[in-house]
Amino acid sequence: MWGGRFSEGPSAIMEEINASIDIDRRLWREDIAGSKAHAAMLAACGVISDADNKAIQKGLDAVAGEIESGQFKYDKALEDIHMNIEARLKALIGEPAGRLHTGRSRNDQVATDFRLWVRTACEQSAAALRDLCRALAARALENADAVMPGFTHLQTAQPVTFGHHLLAYAEMFSRDASRFDDAARRMNECPLGAAALAGTSFPIDRDRTAKALGFDRPCANSLDAVSSRDFAMEAMAAAAITATHLSRLGEELVIWTSAQFGFVQLSDAFSTGSSIMPQKRNPDAAELVRAKAGRIVGSLNSLLIVMKGLALAYAKDMQEDKAATFQCFDDLALALAATTGMIGDLHVNRDAMKEAAGHGFSTATDLADWLVRKLNMPFRDAHHVTGAIVALAEKKGVALEALSLKDLQSVEPRMTDDVFDVLSVDASVASRTSFGGTAPANVKREAKKLLKALKAN
C-alpha cells in the first residue's frame, strides 16, 4: 500500500513489528468518520468530483456495516486500520477510493482518529465519575449523622460522620471529572489537513472538516498537529489522578470490611470467598480497584517515555501510543464501574463505627476547645491541660467522659460539670458547624447540593 519505492516486500519480522492492526482496529469508527468528512470537504472544494464523493460515502458506509456485523476481514499485511479500510473501500468502489487520500497523510489521519477516540474517552470518564459522585452523595445523605472515627496517620484523631467522609471522596472525584472536561476542551482541535507534516498544496477547507467532526477549530500548526500526543498524556494524567483517588477509597474499603474494623460490608456481588477457608469474605473488588491504579499510572509512564526523546514530526515510535492509552481507559472504566457498584449497595454498620469513634480519646480536642471558651485559656495552655487529662484517663484505663469531675479538677480546678456536654462523640460532630465541617446539618446540606448539581449536569 505504500507504493513503488520498494522492489521487495517486508520480512516476516518487519511485518510483525510494523503492524498495529490488532491494536488500532478499535479506531474504525473514528477512521470512517474522518474519511467521510475529508471526502465531503474535498468535493465541496472541487478537489474531487461529487460522483467520487458519493461513491466514497456509500463505500465507507458499507465498510462500517461489515465491521459492525463482524464480517470484515482484517489483513495484518496492510499494517493498520487505515489501510485495511482503504483497501476494502477500493475493492468495493474501485478507482474513486484512490482519490480519498488526496490532501492528507496517515500522519494527520491517525492523529485525528486518535484525538476523536481520546476525546470520547474523556467524556465517558467524566460521566462515569459523576455517576460515582451521585452514589457517594446519596450514601452521604443517608449517613449524615453516622458517627465514625476520623484518622490521621491511621490513628484515631477526631469523630467525623460517615457522610462527611464519603463527601470528601465526592469532592476529589468531582475535580477528576472537571480535569477530563478540561482535557477534552483543550484537545478539541482538528489535525486533519496537516498532511504528513507541512500541510498540503491542495485548496482544502480545514475549518469545514473540523466542524464536521465536532472540533472547535483546526490545529494551527501542521508540525504540531501530527507530532503531538500531549492530548493523550493529559487525559492519561487525569486518569492516573482519578485512579489514585479510587485506590485510596479501595484501601479504606479493605480496611473497613476487616473483622478488626467491621465498619461496612460489601454485598455478595462485590465479594469473593476462599477455596479453603469457608468463613472468608474477601473484598476482592476493592483490592482490584486498588491494583488497577498501578496499571493506569504505568500506562501514563509508558507514553511519557515513548514521547520524551522524539524530534518533530512523526516517528514510528508513536504507533505505541494507542496500546497504552486504550489499556489505561479500559482499566479506568472498569475501576469506576466497580467502585460505583460497591458504594451503591454498601452495608454500613453504624454501631461499630460509633463505638470505634469513642476510642483513642477522640474528643480531646473538644475538651481543649471547652477550656478555651469557658475558662478563657490560651489554646496552647488548654492543649497542655488536656494532654495531662488524657494521660490520667489512660492511666485509669477509662474514656475521657468516664472520668469524674474530681478527676478533671485534679488537673484543672476550675473545671465544671458542663464539660461533660462536649465529651460525647455525638456532641463533638454536632459542634463542627464551620463551613466544610463534619456536622450532620452540614453534611445533609452539601449532599443535597451535590445531588442537585449532578442532576442538572
Side-chain angles (χ1 to χ4, degrees):
M1 291 294 289
W2 22 267
R5 170 66 177 82
F6 296 83
S7 59
E8 296 182 10
S11 72
I13 294 172
M14 180 60 194
E15 187 174 295
E16 185 67 25
I17 196 172
N18 194 47
S20 61
I21 186 60
D22 291 341
I23 299 296
D24 63 28
R25 66 173 62 185
R26 291 175 66 161
L27 294 174
W28 71 265
R29 288 183 181 84
E30 291 79 10
D31 195 70
I32 288 175
S35 290
K36 285 170 72 74
H38 184 66
M41 178 274 295
L42 291 176
C45 293
V47 178
I48 64 173
S49 70
D50 288 338
D52 283 344
N53 177 45
K54 287 178 182 177
I56 290 169
Q57 299 293 335
K58 185 176 179 180
L60 287 171
D61 287 339
V63 174
E66 290 180 3
I67 297 175
E68 191 79 66
S69 65
Q71 296 176 338
F72 189 90
K73 291 187 170 37
Y74 296 98
D75 184 353
K76 205 162 194 172
L78 294 173
E79 298 183 19
D80 55 32
I81 189 61
H82 324 294
M83 288 302 195
N84 268 263
I85 289 175
E86 185 175 328
R88 181 57 181 153
L89 182 66
K90 184 175 182 181
L92 289 172
I93 68 170
E95 184 180 280
R99 296 192 172 93
L100 172 59
H101 211 53
T102 307
R104 77 174 183 185
S105 160
R106 269 195 298 180
N107 292 356
D108 62 332
Q109 185 179 1
V110 67
T112 302
D113 294 355
F114 197 28
R115 280 198 190 225
L116 287 169
W117 192 94
V118 175
R119 185 181 70 186
T120 298
C122 286
E123 292 165 354
Q124 292 171 342
S125 298
L129 278 160
R130 292 185 174 105
D131 286 342
L132 175 53
C133 287
R134 284 185 192 92
L136 288 164
R139 301 315 302 270
L141 190 57
E142 293 170 9
N143 294 279
D145 59 350
V147 181
M148 68 174 290
F151 299 97
T152 61
H153 309 277
L154 205 55
Q155 305 295 312
T156 300
Q158 293 176 271
V160 296
T161 61
F162 188 54
H164 191 60
H165 199 110
L166 294 179
L167 286 182
Y169 281 107
E171 290 290 326
M172 296 181 201
F173 293 130
S174 293
R175 291 193 296 273
D176 292 331
S178 71
R179 272 185 274 271
F180 283 114
D181 291 339
D182 289 344
R185 280 193 292 270
R186 205 166 1 262
M187 74 178 65
N188 209 31
E189 297 181 342
C190 185
L192 201 56
L197 74 162
T200 178
S201 59
F202 289 97
I204 63 172
D205 184 350
R206 293 190 62 208
D207 287 299
R208 185 186 183 99
T209 47
K211 184 178 180 181
L213 294 170
F215 289 105
D216 294 332
R217 64 193 70 85
C219 295
N221 182 285
S222 59
L223 279 168
D224 175 59
V226 299
S227 61
S228 294
R229 293 297 183 268
D230 57 351
F231 63 90
M233 290 186 281
E234 181 178 9
M236 293 167 77
I241 296 170
T242 300
T244 302
H245 293 155
L246 288 169
S247 182
R248 295 183 73 180
L249 178 53
E251 168 71 0
E252 297 213 275
L253 288 170
V254 170
I255 292 171
W256 293 342
T257 55
S258 68
Q260 290 74 20
F261 277 72
F263 288 179
V264 301
Q265 185 178 79
L266 296 178
S267 70
D268 290 352
F270 294 97
S271 303
T272 64
S274 165
S275 63
I276 189 174
M277 295 169 284
Q279 84 283 6
K280 291 296 293 297
R281 186 182 185 88
N282 298 325
D284 281 9
E287 292 171 358
L288 289 167
V289 166
R290 191 174 58 186
K292 290 291 184 188
R295 288 169 59 94
I296 292 166
V297 171
S299 294
L300 169 61
N301 284 340
S302 175
L303 184 55
L304 290 169
I305 293 166
V306 165
M307 295 301 299
K308 72 172 183 61
L310 300 186
L312 300 183
Y314 183 81
K316 195 69 171 181
D317 312 48
M318 292 162 69
Q319 181 170 285
E320 298 299 319
D321 56 3
K322 285 165 283 299
T325 306
F326 293 162
Q327 186 67 64
C328 172
F329 282 97
D330 286 348
D331 287 334
L332 181 64
L334 190 53
L336 283 166
T339 304
T340 303
M342 285 188 286
I343 294 298
D345 60 4
L346 198 68
H347 172 73
V348 180
N349 188 343
R350 284 171 164 248
D351 292 339
M353 283 184 176
K354 188 168 184 177
E355 181 183 355
H359 297 166
F361 312 107
S362 64
T363 57
T365 305
D366 299 272
L367 174 56
D369 290 346
W370 183 91
L371 291 167
V372 171
R373 283 195 308 271
K374 294 291 184 176
L375 303 184
N376 199 29
M377 191 178 288
F379 182 78
R380 284 300 169 204
D381 293 345
H383 186 285
H384 180 80
V385 169
T386 301
I389 292 172
V390 168
L392 176 62
E394 192 170 39
K395 183 177 179 180
K396 286 177 170 285
V398 298
L400 288 177
E401 62 268 33
L403 290 171
S404 68
L405 181 59
K406 183 177 179 181
D407 290 329
L408 297 173
Q409 289 175 336
S410 70
V411 178
E412 171 49 63
R414 293 177 291 168
M415 301 280 273
T416 57
D417 269 336
D418 58 345
V419 69
F420 293 102
D421 293 339
V422 304
L423 295 183
S424 73
V425 292
D426 286 320
S428 176
V429 296
S431 71
R432 306 293 168 178
T433 56
S434 60
F435 181 77
T438 192
N442 285 15
V443 174
K444 288 178 183 177
R445 182 181 66 250
E446 292 303 314
K448 289 176 180 177
K449 180 180 174 183
L450 178 56
L451 286 168
K452 184 178 179 181
L454 289 167
K455 189 175 181 179
N457 196 298

